[in-house]
Amino acid sequence: MDSVFILTIIVIVFALLFDVINGFHDTANAIATAISTKAINMRYAIPMAAMMNFLGALTFTGVAKTITQDIVDPFALPNGSVVILAALLAAIAWNLITWYFGIPSSSSHAIIGAIAGAAIMAAGVNSINYSGFINIIEGLLLSPVIAFVFGYFIYTIFKVIFRNNNLAKTNKRFRIYQIFTAAIQSYSHGTNDAQKTMGIITMALISSGQLTSNDIPFWVQFACAAAMGIGTAIGGWRIIKTVGGKIMKIRPDNGVAADLTSGLIILGATYMHLPVSTTHVISSSIMGVGTSHRLKGVKWKTAQQIILTWVITLPISAALSGIIYLFLDLIF
């Protein structure tokens, strides 16, 4: 059997593994607030999130095309399959490390940084499509800031509208709303995060000569949607604990404001074909809501840890993938 074909199969397997890990790594993002306020039981939240992630992943392909063509040119990348495999191994390693320690890091930062790092090691700095790459980085950097600001203002509006309401009755109503906002957030996660793996597999197919365009084959879309759904069903309990309680003590009205903010921003980014970090958008929206609710109520030490991880993930994953590429290049 042709060695290029075998390498392509290996890349696809690791890409789907990355998608599964992404699913259980980021499950917490969509349902942690609803679980922490007891709006929905974990037993029901996980299957709901898995189904909505699956449906979201089947809906769009614009972000996948951005990943395929805007970081590097897959038609001109030498040793492209090895570059992609190195990037996947680096991103998987970083995701597992941060999951183990319960840190809500970004799978998006990890895979984008890893692709860039391996490509630079393989073909030099000129291999990067800088106009597209800068657009992606701008989206990754700006989206959490926008989420923080929107979360702050949406919860401020909530405070004005519901200031005279009975707290117990309001919280009971908001727990019902949270089920729907958690579903929206899970759907938005699928629309953005699963597409990154679709783009990676498409890159591998182009690099190996299996595809002649950047159109996403339906079997790739379906496989990535299924892998994301399976990963979500596995769940990420450590990160649920961090997102659901270590940033701030979340009440139902806080949870609805945060979920609504992050869901809308992620869907907006998907519509604009921009990959964003769902982890950091959701964490930032919670911080924005918490700041509006009570500044001292935000656990800023946890917030600092999340921000630090946000900053270091991209360069660490780039360096790690570059090192892994050097080893893989000796084998393949």
Side-chain angles (χ1 to χ4, degrees):
M1 191 178 290
D2 183 72
S3 60
V4 174
F5 179 76
I6 294 173
L7 182 57
T8 303
I9 295 298
I10 293 171
V11 169
I12 292 171
V13 169
F14 275 99
L16 293 176
L17 177 62
F18 170 76
D19 210 22
V20 170
I21 293 170
N22 191 359
F24 79 70
H25 188 275
D26 290 357
T27 296
N29 302 337
I31 59 177
T33 57
I35 289 171
S36 68
T37 61
K38 297 180 172 60
I40 185 170
N41 187 282
M42 185 96 69
R43 185 186 308 170
Y44 303 109
I46 295 289
M48 179 198 71
M51 178 59 68
M52 296 307 293
N53 265 284
F54 176 78
L55 293 175
L58 287 176
T59 310
F60 301 97
T61 58
V63 173
K65 290 183 178 181
T66 296
I67 294 294
T68 300
Q69 64 191 17
D70 283 13
I71 304 173
V72 296
D73 181 359
F75 294 99
L77 185 64
N79 218 4
S81 296
V82 178
V83 168
I84 298 164
L85 181 58
L88 285 167
L89 292 174
I92 288 170
W94 182 247
N95 272 356
L96 290 175
I97 290 167
T98 53
W99 166 80
Y100 180 80
F101 289 103
I103 302 169
S105 75
S106 169
S107 300
S108 304
H109 285 59
I111 194 60
I112 289 167
I115 291 171
I120 289 171
M121 189 62 71
V125 293
N126 291 329
S127 64
I128 304 297
N129 177 4
Y130 284 100
S131 61
F133 186 66
I134 289 171
N135 285 338
I136 291 172
I137 298 301
E138 286 175 350
L140 290 173
L141 295 178
L142 289 175
S143 52
V145 177
I146 296 170
F148 182 93
V149 173
F150 270 53
Y152 182 94
F153 282 109
I154 286 179
Y155 189 71
T156 300
I157 294 170
F158 277 20
K159 287 193 297 183
V160 172
I161 294 173
F162 299 104
R163 65 174 179 265
N164 296 322
N165 287 41
N166 178 277
L167 181 61
K169 289 183 178 179
T170 302
N171 280 339
K172 185 177 181 180
R173 193 180 309 135
F174 270 106
R175 282 191 179 94
I176 297 172
Y177 298 156
Q178 266 195 289
I179 297 172
F180 294 99
T181 56
I184 291 170
Q185 191 158 242
S186 297
Y187 174 81
S188 70
H189 177 268
T191 67
N192 202 280
D193 268 29
Q195 287 196 61
K196 294 155 192 171
T197 307
M198 297 176 203
I200 291 164
I201 293 176
T202 303
M203 286 179 67
L205 294 173
I206 291 170
S207 296
S208 63
Q210 305 295 318
L211 279 180
T212 56
S213 74
N214 65 355
D215 291 332
I216 313 300
F218 179 74
W219 71 265
V220 172
Q221 189 178 7
F222 185 86
C224 292
M228 178 67 72
I230 291 168
T232 303
I234 295 171
W237 318 119
R238 286 179 170 87
I239 298 173
I240 284 176
K241 186 177 179 182
T242 299
V243 175
K246 288 189 177 180
I247 298 175
M248 63 174 285
K249 186 175 181 180
I250 298 174
R251 301 187 326 190
D253 54 344
N254 306 145
V256 169
D259 290 350
L260 193 60
T261 297
S262 51
L264 291 175
I265 288 173
I266 294 166
L267 284 172
T270 299
Y271 181 76
M272 293 187 290
H273 301 174
L274 283 175
V276 295
S277 167
T278 54
T279 303
H280 291 126
V281 167
I282 294 167
S283 299
S284 297
S285 69
I286 293 172
M287 284 185 253
V289 168
T291 302
S292 176
H293 177 64
R294 189 166 69 90
L295 183 62
K296 291 183 179 179
V298 178
K299 298 171 184 177
W300 292 107
K301 186 175 181 180
T302 301
Q304 288 172 1
Q305 184 185 43
I306 292 170
I307 293 168
L308 177 62
T309 311
W310 175 38
V311 172
I312 67 173
T313 292
L314 197 145
I316 286 179
S317 59
L320 184 58
S321 69
I323 294 169
I324 292 173
Y325 173 82
L326 290 178
F327 285 102
L328 291 179
D329 191 42
L330 295 175
I331 300 171
F332 298 103

